[in-house]
Amino acid sequence: MRARFLPLFSTLVVALASLLALSACSGQQFLNAVTSDSGYSLSQNVVYDDSTGLKLDIYAPQNAQNAPVVVFFLGGRWEEGDKAQYKFVGQALAARGFVGVIPNVRLYPQVRYPAFVDDAARAVAWVHAHAGAYGGSPAKIVVMGHSSGAYDAAMLALDPQFMARAGGSRLWLRGMIGLAGPYDFLPLTDPDLRDMFGPPETYDSTQPVFHVDGTNPPLLLMHGGKDQTVDIKNTNSLFDRVKRANGTVDKVIYPDLDHKWIVAVVSTHFQSNADVMTKIDAFVRRVTTGNPPAAAQPSSIQTYVPPK
């Protein structure tokens, strides 16, 4: 029986790889098309900030109570993307028993740094106030992101000013998960990034690595070895700085994954290709168990070796 399904699975993998090679949007459409609509309750377009009208989607496991909440910030170079494209992430989180929250933030050129990070902070503040209504616990919030969304999550975890400006506290964050994030990307040479993060005299303050002080919530940094969009040195640099500051951080490198696959394998249909979601699951459960959060542990580096 199993052999009958292997050709179909291989076809799906080839199709997904082809779509991802064409564009992020088409790949996400494919992932969403094969994502289940059952097993969770979806609350769409919930306004979390009246002043901007920004909205979020909530994927809540059925009968959830006091569940960990994972707030996922999407990628797109701070210039594009929409929460609806990440149904596959929300469903995958709900399938693990977590309340998945996917907000939109404002994008460039409508806004510039630090506005999109402030939006992310307001989304987390809303989640802290309303998580209980969706079966989540305000004491078990983890922020997560892919690419530029990982940057947003990292800034919330590393620079206390953002949560404070949103009327909250960085102490609300039990952990941060970054997939292929840009954390150390100076010098800025692209005109849009120079404008987005300007003026030049404040570029240093826009880099997550320069906000490391060792008091961060636990970090899980994951990156693909074949990433040609965000250099892996970003993850290596942030890991090294947090480690030197005696902060809590883990790093996992996936030699065969590129920038798009590192998030695509979160999908329940493709989790067998790499253990990204398994690592996310274990991390969320570890950091949201007990009060206060899990004590600092020795920093660890892992390189994923696929099963034979």
Side-chain angles (χ1 to χ4, degrees), residues 28 31-32 35 85-92 263-264 266-268:
Q28 290 156 343
L31 289 168
N32 288 336
T35 294
Q85 297 172 329
Y86 291 87
K87 171 187 175 182
F88 70 95
V89 174
Q91 184 272 334
V263 66
V266 168
S267 167
T268 54

Side-chain angles (χ1 to χ4, degrees), residues 107-120:
L107 303 173
Y108 177 84
Q110 178 188 1
V111 299
R112 291 161 175 78
Y113 176 88
F116 40 79
V117 187
D118 283 321
D119 291 344

Side-chain angles (χ1 to χ4, degrees), residues 15-39:
L16 177 61
S18 300
L19 286 170
L20 289 173
L22 291 173
S23 74
C25 183
S26 58
Q28 290 156 343
Q29 289 173 347
F30 177 86
L31 289 168
N32 288 336
V34 298
T35 294
S36 174
D37 292 320
S38 63

Side-chain angles (χ1 to χ4, degrees), residues 41-46 56-60 134:
S41 174
L42 173 59
S43 300
Q44 292 180 289
N45 297 317
V46 179
L56 50 76
D57 293 342
I58 304 163
Y59 297 77
Y134 300 90

Side-chain angles (χ1 to χ4, degrees), residues 275-298:
D275 69 351
V276 172
M277 193 63 210
T278 299
K279 291 284 197 302
I280 290 171
D281 186 310
F283 176 82
V284 172
R285 295 185 191 282
R286 173 169 66 85
V287 300
T288 59
T289 299
N291 190 21
Q297 299 180 358

Side-chain angles (χ1 to χ4, degrees), residues 1-294:
M1 180 68 71
R2 182 179 179 184
R4 292 174 54 193
F5 289 95
L6 288 177
L8 175 59
F9 179 76
S10 299
T11 300
L12 287 173
V13 171
V14 171
L16 177 61
S18 300
L19 286 170
L20 289 173
L22 291 173
S23 74
C25 183
S26 58
Q28 290 156 343
Q29 289 173 347
F30 177 86
L31 289 168
N32 288 336
V34 298
T35 294
S36 174
D37 292 320
S38 63
Y40 59 92
S41 174
L42 173 59
S43 300
Q44 292 180 289
N45 297 317
V46 179
V47 175
Y48 72 83
D49 183 54
D50 291 333
S51 65
T52 59
L54 287 168
K55 301 173 182 178
L56 50 76
D57 293 342
I58 304 163
Y59 297 77
Q62 292 179 349
N63 304 314
Q65 292 184 339
N66 201 38
V69 183
V70 180
V71 184
F72 176 82
F73 299 107
L74 56 96
R77 197 181 163 89
W78 305 281
E79 296 177 296
E80 62 182 4
D82 184 84
K83 57 186 174 53
Q85 297 172 329
Y86 291 87
K87 171 187 175 182
F88 70 95
V89 174
Q91 184 272 334
L93 291 170
R96 298 286 179 140
F98 309 141
V99 176
V101 180
I102 306 180
N104 278 340
V105 300
R106 288 172 295 172
L107 303 173
Y108 177 84
Q110 178 188 1
V111 299
R112 291 161 175 78
Y113 176 88
F116 40 79
V117 187
D118 283 321
D119 291 344
R122 283 192 288 270
V124 173
W126 185 94
V127 168
H128 186 267
H130 298 89
Y134 300 90
S137 169
K140 299 179 180 180
I141 297 174
V142 174
V143 290
M144 172 181 167
H146 171 242
S147 194
S148 56
Y151 168 95
D152 296 343
M155 289 299 280
L156 297 187
L158 296 170
D159 188 348
Q161 70 166 318
F162 288 105
M163 288 307 306
R165 282 208 296 259
S169 169
R170 182 176 65 162
L171 296 176
W172 290 353
L173 308 182
R174 300 297 291 268
M176 174 267 173
I177 302 165
L179 306 179
Y183 314 116
D184 183 12
F185 51 97
L186 296 182
L188 298 179
T189 56
D190 293 352
D192 59 338
L193 294 180
R194 291 180 63 85
D195 181 49
M196 191 186 307
F197 289 98
E201 58 267 24
T202 63
Y203 282 161
D204 282 0
S205 68
T206 70
Q207 302 297 292
V209 291
F210 294 133
H211 295 281
V212 173
D213 62 6
T215 65
N216 56 274
L219 309 181
L220 173 60
L221 308 178
M222 312 171 87
H223 216 115
K226 294 183 177 179
D227 195 327
Q228 297 183 1
T229 301
V230 175
D231 197 310
I232 198 172
K233 73 103 173 174
N234 284 270
T235 286
N236 292 335
S237 179
L238 181 56
F239 174 84
D240 290 342
R241 283 183 178 259
V242 175
K243 181 180 178 181
R244 288 199 301 269
N246 294 316
T248 304
V249 60
D250 294 308
K251 178 175 70 173
V252 187
I253 303 302
Y254 293 85
D256 295 328
L257 295 184
D258 63 14
H259 191 70
K260 296 169 183 175
W261 267 102
I262 194 78
V263 66
V265 294
V266 168
S267 167
T268 54
H269 286 276
F270 296 95
Q271 290 174 12
S272 62
N273 288 271
D275 69 351
V276 172
M277 193 63 210
T278 299
K279 291 284 197 302
I280 290 171
D281 186 310
F283 176 82
V284 172
R285 295 185 191 282
R286 173 169 66 85
V287 300
T288 59
T289 299
N291 190 21

